[in-house]
Amino acid sequence: MATWYVVAGSTGAGKSTAAREIAERVGGVRFSIDEWMNALFWMDCPEKNDLGWALERVGRCEAQIEAVARGLAGVGVSSVLDLGFTTRAQRREWLERARAAGVGCALVVLEVEAAVRWERVCARNRGESGTFTLAVTREMFEAMEERWEMPGEQERGEFGGGLASS
């Protein structure tokens, strides 16, 4: 049975790196919201840090990612979802999407201290990693810190088996 791996963590936690590793391990297809947004929309952004504009386009990407992930599941291929999963609501929505599609859903949570994550972001901004898609400012980092909702034990238990949190 195909599984959707929901990779969650705050900015700089290592979601993209973990998603690559999971996709390789399970023979799945990785979907990165940063890559999709960078390829399809960021060049057209009318105003820097326009959250409403960005979220509308993220929603479009997620709808298409879901459609492709459903198709892959239909032929037994798992999907690794590197979509941020900052909020409980977003994680719950994808769990419900997986259930509606008859697909297993595993939550992978990356827990890394903020200072370490900020250093990773700075290194990524300097081009010192293979996961750079856009420069993240301190302001952007702090805004995402305010949005991040760490999954609790109850939420983690709602997801099926798969990979353990790290």
Side-chain angles (χ1 to χ4, degrees):
M1 176 180 185
T3 300
W4 289 355
Y5 294 90
V6 170
V7 183
S10 196
T11 306
K15 295 181 298 294
S16 295
T17 300
R20 283 187 178 105
E21 292 169 358
I22 295 165
E24 185 175 317
R25 188 173 345 143
V26 304
V29 176
R30 179 183 60 88
F31 294 92
S32 168
I33 195 64
D34 290 344
E35 291 173 7
W36 280 55
M37 287 293 292
N38 197 42
L40 298 172
F41 296 116
W42 283 128
M43 73 289 286
D44 300 323
C45 185
E47 193 176 309
K48 186 179 178 183
N49 298 332
D50 186 339
L51 186 60
W53 182 92
L55 289 177
E56 177 184 335
R57 283 144 187 88
V58 165
R60 291 182 204 170
C61 289
E62 285 188 358
Q64 187 60 33
I65 288 168
E66 179 188 3
V68 176
R70 280 177 176 256
L72 290 168
V75 295
V77 177
S78 293
S79 293
V80 182
L81 306 171
D82 176 16
L83 309 182
F85 295 106
T86 305
T87 66
R88 288 179 191 92
Q90 183 190 24
R91 294 186 295 266
R92 161 62 70 188
E93 179 181 344
W94 278 87
L95 176 59
E96 291 172 2
R97 289 176 179 190
R99 288 177 175 162
V103 178
C105 194
L107 178 64
V108 180
V109 181
L110 303 174
E111 299 180 46
V112 180
E113 291 183 32
V116 173
R117 290 186 288 101
W118 174 243
E119 283 304 314
R120 289 178 178 177
V121 167
C122 290
R124 187 172 62 202
N125 285 345
R126 292 188 302 265
E128 298 172 8
S129 79
T131 60
F132 180 84
T133 53
L134 78 140
V136 174
T137 66
R138 186 65 189 209
E139 176 185 34
M140 293 163 70
F141 181 86
E142 294 300 332
M144 291 311 293
E145 286 296 284
E146 291 177 19
R147 290 180 51 90
W148 170 241
E149 297 173 343
M150 176 67 75
E153 289 305 314
Q154 179 179 346
E155 180 183 358
R156 293 173 195 237
E158 293 174 357
F159 285 80
L163 302 175
S165 301
S166 59

